[in-house]
């Protein structure tokens, strides 16, 4: 009885106190955030000579992250499953300025592969400064039409567990170098796109996991969680995929621009990056007007064909 009364009081008091606090403290907090951004922009990390491990580096965002880090003079360990594509990325990264770049064939859904790719990186370079958890796959289709649960399981295995495995083995070296983890998540974590239920769930789990690690690691290492919108890639670039999920109605960002923003954000030491920045509007819609956002996504969903499509990044 007393417990219920306490909650009833808190239901009234907490919102009032929070709103009052926002009125008084939000303006100075925004000024503080702006000053922090200016400070970080002036003290941006120089990654020349540092060692960066990127998963899913054979195409898409991972490929162009390799080029961007390469231009800045970083030494690269690039991991993916497709040898021919990965070799071409390694060669180009070297031409763009990377003093040393190696390729490691690995499937991040396998624990032993993740252990091997981290060990191979450290054995070759002697250190690890940035881990970029980028590898990911998706499937477009309504949940009730999904029959291949083995493939749906692989979405979680690669998108979530792949980043967990790589991080587990990389942490001792990143702690030693005061390094950084860059997590390529998705705006789908809070903008629940129909027909991408398992992809959305895997990215939400990934985001929540690394937010928790940020609290656990404290100042030992930085964690930048990236939430891109629609970006040109093998995974999302086909007209069929775009038509199914409704991304053909949204402006698509070039992979090069997205990759540059990600590397700059990681070097500034940002906690989070929404790229392009205008997609932050959808985040606030989710927070302030969830019913409106749900009605928009639902109305868009019912107009789409009931077909499925798989794409590997």
């Amino acid at each position: 009885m007393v417990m219920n009364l306490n909650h009833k009081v808190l239901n009234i008091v907490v919102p009032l106190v929070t709103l009052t606090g926002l009125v008084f403290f939000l303006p100075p907090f925004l000024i503080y955030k702006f000053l922090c951004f200016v400070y970080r922009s002036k003290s941006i990390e120089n990654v020349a000579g540092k060692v960066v491990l990127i998963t899913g580096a054979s195409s898409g965002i991972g490929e162009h992250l390799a080029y961007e880090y390469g231009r800045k003079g970083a030494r690269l360990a690039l991991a993916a499953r497709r040898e021919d594509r990965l070799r071409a990325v390694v060669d180009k990264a070297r031409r763009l300025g990377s003093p040393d770049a190696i390729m490691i064939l690995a499937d991040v859904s396998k624990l032993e592969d993740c252990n091997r790719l981290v060990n191979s990186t450290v054995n070759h370079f002697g250190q690890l400064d940035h881990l970029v958890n980028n590898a990911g796959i998706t499937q477009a289709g309504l949940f009730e039409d999904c029959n291949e649960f083995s493939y749906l399981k692989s979405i979680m295995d690669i998108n979530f567990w792949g980043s967990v495995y790589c991080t587990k083995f990389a942490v001792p070296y990143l702690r030693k170098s005061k390094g950084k983890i860059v997590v390529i998540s998705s705006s789908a974590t809070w903008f629940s796109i129909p027909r991408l239920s398992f992809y959305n769930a895997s990215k939400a789990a990934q985001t929540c996991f690394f937010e928790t690690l940020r609290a656990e690691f404290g100042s030992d290492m930085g964690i930048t969680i990236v939430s891109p919108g629609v970006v040109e890639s093998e995974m999302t670039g086909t007209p069929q995929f775009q038509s199914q999920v409704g991304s053909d109605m949204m402006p698509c960002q070039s992979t090069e621009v997205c990759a540059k923003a990600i590397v700059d954000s990681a070097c500034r030491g940002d906690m989070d990056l929404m790229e392009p920045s205008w997609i932050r509007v959808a985040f606030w819609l989710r927070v302030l007007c969830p019913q409106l956002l749900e009605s928009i996504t639902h109305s868009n969903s019912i107009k789409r064909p009931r077909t499925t499509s798989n794409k590997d990044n």
Side-chain angles (χ1 to χ4, degrees), residues 185-237:
S185 185
S186 173
S187 56
T189 58
W190 37 264
F191 184 61
S192 302
I193 303 170
R195 291 177 163 78
L196 294 179
S197 53
F198 278 82
Y199 175 79
N200 298 345
S202 69
K203 290 299 182 179
Q206 185 186 45
T207 296
C208 188
F209 175 77
F210 282 98
E211 286 177 343
T212 305
L213 287 194
R214 184 187 288 144
E216 291 183 6
F217 293 152
S219 61
D220 288 353
M221 68 190 75
I223 298 179
T224 299
I225 300 175
V226 182
S227 301
V230 181
V231 180
E232 293 173 350
S233 72
E234 266 189 333
M235 191 164 67
T236 62

Side-chain angles (χ1 to χ4, degrees), residues 159-178:
N159 296 3
F160 175 68
W161 285 109
S163 60
V164 172
Y165 295 155
C166 290
T167 300
K168 174 63 177 177
F169 295 116
V171 159
Y173 307 106
L174 292 171
R175 195 185 295 276
K176 183 178 179 180
S177 65
K178 286 282 186 176

Side-chain angles (χ1 to χ4, degrees), residues 55-60 62-63 79-82 85-86 89 134 234 313:
T55 64
S58 62
S59 65
E63 174 186 353
R81 294 179 294 184
R82 295 176 294 181
R85 294 293 301 272
L86 189 58
V89 175
N134 168 75
E234 266 189 333
N313 185 15

